[in-house]
RNA sequence: GGCGGGGUCGCCAAGUGGUAAGGCUCGGCUCUGCAAAAGCCGCAUUCGUGGGUUCGAUUCCCACCCCCGCCUCCA
């Protein structure tokens, strides 16, 4: 089948074709973190979905230009940097750094650009866009000095979330101090400085202040990717109002359709509930690695539920991920050893990699795709057990795995065997040759205590890092 | 009140108008000096409830119950 994605805008699965048909380039913008603390695993679920999307597009021969923004100025970053008594840039730098470490841990492929809202280039772009909106009558300066987007200027507002503005019920989250606005739905483009902002301010035609959140993304996306994007992703909670606002601002400025495919990731649940600090089910990636889980285990646990479905995260699920990955490791290790340097030789089993990618074509149906992978694992293990698989065919299956793994990034960590361990293993081999089982067991315990596990196979000892 | 997602084996989770993928757990077996690991086999006559359409529904229609999310700066 053709590559299809569910587009939030149409609420239908649509065949994907990029704007650039010839060059196969895909312009993709993904909403990134607000760097005022460590990102939590709910954030990472979204970033992992975007990584899967990018990897699958690349597997299908597209060249993906992906941009992910860093929001390094907003109410929270300012509030917490002041609380910490540190300059905003110093404060956010810590979390930017942590974010990059975390995405590397999760094997998320880096984006092409990580624009930060406070970079001069983007501040200038934001000011330019706001001025343009003001000239068009799409924005106005209120009495408090802030500039707001005039919703009445953009009737399509609400099309992405499929909301009727008249139906909206005030939810108490509307700030009372924004009485200066013409209409309650108008959102800030430029926020006039107030004392809570401390020394965080930029000069603008409307006086000192700072950008509103929504304009950041419009400015950075169009600055780096041009007026029209193929794909824009984010969490479902960004649909309204953030992405609506982006559409309104961008399309008023460029006169073009801002985004062709909107893809949104559902929320992550933890133990069946919304993750929150008060419930004690709030996890950062560091919490999990601190408990001994690896990045790829978290990756597996967060990626294996289709992105449009709520995913319920549990530690039991992480353990299941660990076991499943160990089985894949075992399988690839067995194939590798059996294939040796033999040249690949066709086998019908290799078609699994085609099926795998075909299943992902259906709006990233990862569950079905993994089902197909595990069918391959079982079938090829069986074939090896019965001697029905040639070494060349094993080599061919490894090629199929490489293709599948380009999308999954589930390969085991490269492990170097320390000399000390290698020496113990050799010593044990000698003990076993002379049937000195007592010494053999003693060495096995010692090796295990050093973090490695041994198993005795018909081909000798096999060393693996203990989980 | 409006909009949306979901209820499929103990847990996670595909799926189709034609009779239920896969992963984890569990049970059995094989291999093994022992152990561990691994491999193989087995494990839902049934898909929230009640109706309806149909030769046939988990899949379509209607009603109902339950869970979750969003509703103006949370991925």
């Amino acid at each position: 089948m053709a590559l299809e994605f569910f587009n939030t805008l149409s609420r239908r699965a649509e065949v994907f074709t990029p704007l650039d048909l010839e060059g196969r380039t895909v312009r993709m913008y993904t909403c990134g973190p607000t760097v005022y603390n460590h990102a939590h695993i709910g954030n990472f679920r979204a970033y992992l979905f975007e990584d899967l999307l990018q990897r699958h597009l690349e597997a299908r021969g597209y060249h993906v230009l992906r941009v992910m923004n860093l929001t390094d100025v907003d109410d929270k970053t300012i509030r917490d940097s002041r609380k910490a008594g540190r300059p905003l840039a110093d404060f956010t730098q810590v979390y930017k750094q942590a974010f990059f470490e975390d995405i590397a841990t999760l094997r998320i492929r880096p984006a092409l650009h990580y624009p930060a809202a406070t970079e001069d280039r983007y501040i200038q772009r934001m000011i330019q866009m706001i001025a343009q909106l003001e000239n068009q009558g799409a924005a106005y300066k209120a009495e408090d000095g802030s500039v707001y987007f005039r919703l009445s200027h953009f009737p399509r507002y609400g099309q992405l979330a499929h909301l009727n503005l008249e139906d909206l019920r005030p939810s108490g989250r509307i700030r009372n101090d924004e009485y200066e606005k013409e209409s309650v739905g108008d959102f800030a483009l430029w926020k006039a400085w107030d004392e809570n902002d401390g020394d965080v301010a930029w000069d603008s035609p409307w006086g000192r202040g700072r950008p509103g959140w929504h304009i950041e993304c419009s400015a950075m996306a169009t600055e780096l990717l041009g007026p029209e994007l193929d794909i824009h992703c984010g969490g479902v909670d960004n649909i309204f109002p953030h992405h609506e606002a982006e559409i309104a601002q961008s399309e008023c400025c460029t006169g073009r359709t801002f985004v062709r495919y909107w893809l949104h990731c559902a929320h992550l649940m933890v133990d069946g509930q919304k993750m929150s600090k008060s419930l004690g089910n709030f996890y950062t990636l560091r919490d999990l690695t601190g408990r001994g889980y690896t990045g790829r285990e978290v990756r597996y646990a967060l990626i294996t539920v289709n992105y449009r479905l709520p995913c319920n995260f549990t530690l039991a699920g992480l353990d299941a991920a660990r076991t499943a990955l160990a089985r894949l490791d075992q399988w690839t290790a067995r194939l590798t050893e059996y294939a040796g340097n033999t040249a690949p030789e066709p086998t019908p089993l290799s078609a699994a990699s085609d099926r795998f990618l075909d299943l992902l074509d259906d709006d990233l149906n990862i569950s079905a795709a993994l089902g197909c992978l595990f069918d391959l694992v079982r079938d090829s293990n069986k074939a090896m057990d019965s001697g029905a698989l040639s070494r060349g065919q094993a080599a061919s299956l490894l090629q199929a795995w490489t293709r599948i793994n380009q999308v999954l990034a589930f390969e085991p960590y490269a492990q170097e065997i320390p000399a000390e361990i290698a020496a113990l293993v050799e010593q044990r081999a000698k003990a076993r040759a002379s049937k000195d089982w007592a010494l053999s067991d003693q060495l096995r315990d010692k090796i295990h205590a050093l973090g490695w596990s041994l198993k005795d196979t018909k081909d000798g000892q096999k060393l693996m890092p203990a989980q």
Side-chain angles (χ1 to χ4, degrees):
Chain A
M1 70 177 282
L3 180 56
E4 289 188 354
F5 298 124
F6 184 92
N7 191 344
T8 306
L9 195 60
S10 65
R11 289 195 183 162
R12 286 209 316 269
E14 296 178 9
V15 172
F16 177 74
T17 49
L19 210 55
D20 172 25
L21 290 168
E22 293 296 311
R24 311 262 308 163
T25 292
V26 174
R27 292 165 206 282
M28 174 168 158
Y29 185 88
T30 52
C31 282
T34 300
V35 283
Y36 72 108
N37 60 13
H38 292 293
H40 57 67
I41 56 174
N43 298 313
F44 287 120
R45 185 202 184 189
Y47 308 147
L48 282 164
F49 140 64
E50 289 151 4
D51 184 57
L52 182 68
L53 174 60
Q54 172 168 7
R55 286 172 181 270
H56 186 243
L57 285 166
E58 287 173 351
R60 285 314 197 190
Y62 292 106
H63 179 53
V64 180
L65 302 179
R66 184 161 65 88
V67 171
M68 175 177 272
N69 71 293
L70 303 173
T71 297
D72 61 352
V73 56
D74 78 326
D75 292 350
K76 292 187 291 273
T77 45
I78 292 172
R79 178 195 67 201
D80 290 359
S81 70
R82 295 196 82 198
K83 207 182 289 175
R86 306 185 59 187
L88 181 66
D90 289 2
F91 178 78
T92 57
Q93 182 54 38
V94 174
Y95 297 108
K96 287 179 186 172
Q97 178 66 34
F99 171 72
F100 289 122
E101 288 167 10
D102 286 352
I103 60 173
T105 300
L106 291 171
R107 304 178 172 189
I108 291 172
R109 183 163 291 167
L112 191 61
H113 295 290
Y114 290 98
T118 59
E119 289 174 48
D120 194 53
R121 176 184 179 187
Y122 306 115
I123 294 279
Q124 293 315 313
R125 169 80 179 150
M126 290 179 232
I127 289 173
Q128 181 225 315
M129 287 179 82
I130 296 168
Q132 191 183 336
L133 291 170
E134 191 180 33
N135 288 338
Q136 288 173 217
Y140 60 92
K141 183 174 173 179
E143 281 175 34
D144 65 344
S146 294
V147 181
Y148 294 96
F149 186 90
R150 181 176 278 130
L151 274 195
S152 58
H153 193 82
F154 192 74
R156 292 203 299 284
Y157 189 84
Q159 61 175 355
L160 184 66
H162 301 89
L163 290 177
N164 267 323
L165 293 185
E166 286 71 32
D167 293 343
L168 293 188
R169 169 207 258 191
S171 72
R173 285 175 65 184
I174 298 171
R175 287 174 48 175
N176 297 328
D177 58 347
E178 289 184 353
Y179 57 85
E180 299 89 350
K181 293 191 292 188
E182 290 177 1
S183 168
V184 68
D186 292 353
F187 55 87
L189 294 165
W190 188 261
K191 302 178 104 161
W193 181 90
D194 75 30
E195 58 192 18
N196 292 327
D197 292 345
D199 60 358
V200 177
W202 287 265
D203 288 319
S204 83
W206 313 279
R208 285 178 72 69
R210 59 184 169 96
W213 178 42
H214 308 306
I215 194 71
E216 290 178 16
C217 284
S218 289
M220 294 189 273
T222 56
E223 174 78 4
L224 291 166
L225 294 171
E228 290 177 280
L229 315 183
D230 289 301
I231 299 176
H232 190 134
C233 306
V236 286
D237 49 348
N238 275 158
I239 296 173
F240 191 88
H242 184 51
H243 289 161
E244 292 284 359
E246 282 189 50
I247 292 172
Q249 299 157 345
S250 305
E251 298 195 351
C252 282
C253 280
T254 66
R256 310 270 278 275
T257 299
F258 179 45
V259 171
R260 305 174 61 241
Y261 299 87
W262 285 96
L263 274 60
H264 291 99
C265 179
H267 272 271
L268 184 75
M269 312 283 292
V270 175
D271 300 323
Q273 291 174 294
K274 185 170 180 172
M275 181 165 57
S276 76
K277 281 178 178 154
S278 58
L279 286 170
N281 63 357
F282 187 94
Y283 295 114
T284 63
L285 179 60
R286 282 139 202 263
D287 293 333
L288 297 175
T289 53
R291 286 171 182 257
Y293 293 103
T294 61
R296 74 171 181 142
E297 287 165 352
V298 178
R299 180 179 174 89
Y300 187 103
L302 295 182
I303 224 172
T304 50
V305 175
N306 179 273
Y307 73 95
R308 288 207 291 129
L309 265 38
C311 173
N312 185 30
F313 176 86
T314 59
L315 291 177
L318 255 191
D319 291 332
R322 169 171 292 180
T323 312
L325 284 168
R327 187 159 162 226
L328 291 176
D329 290 351
Q330 202 62 42
W331 173 65
T332 52
R334 188 179 180 194
L335 282 175
T336 303
E337 194 176 310
Y338 180 59
N341 291 320
T342 317
E345 184 186 310
T347 161
L349 288 175
S350 306
S353 64
D354 292 329
R355 275 202 309 281
F356 180 88
L357 295 177
D358 286 348
L359 287 162
L360 286 181
D361 279 351
D362 180 16
D363 199 30
L364 302 178
N365 188 344
I366 187 73
S367 302
L370 285 172
C372 157
L373 171 60
F374 280 102
D375 283 341
L376 171 64
V377 170
R378 191 187 54 250
D379 291 346
S380 50
N381 273 329
K382 228 180 339 191
M384 277 190 280
D385 285 348
S386 67
L389 194 79
S390 72
R391 290 176 188 278
Q393 288 174 326
S396 167
L397 290 181
L398 282 168
Q399 289 183 327
W401 162 246
T402 299
R403 198 161 166 235
I404 290 170
N405 186 57
Q406 277 180 341
V407 177
L408 294 177
F410 283 168
E411 75 282 2
Y413 293 96
Q415 286 283 350
E416 291 203 10
I417 300 167
E420 181 195 8
I421 301 294
L424 290 170
V425 171
E426 193 164 331
Q427 218 180 315
R428 183 164 178 270
K430 283 179 190 155
R432 294 179 62 72
S434 54
K435 297 200 185 296
D436 185 348
W437 306 124
L439 180 59
S440 168
D441 290 353
Q442 198 185 323
L443 287 165
R444 181 170 61 200
D445 290 345
K446 195 167 175 183
I447 290 164
H448 189 74
L450 292 167
W452 294 76
S453 70
L454 265 186
K455 69 172 190 169
D456 297 310
T457 72
K458 58 182 182 298
D459 302 317
Q461 303 181 81
K462 202 158 190 176
L463 186 68
M464 296 187 88
Q467 283 286 6

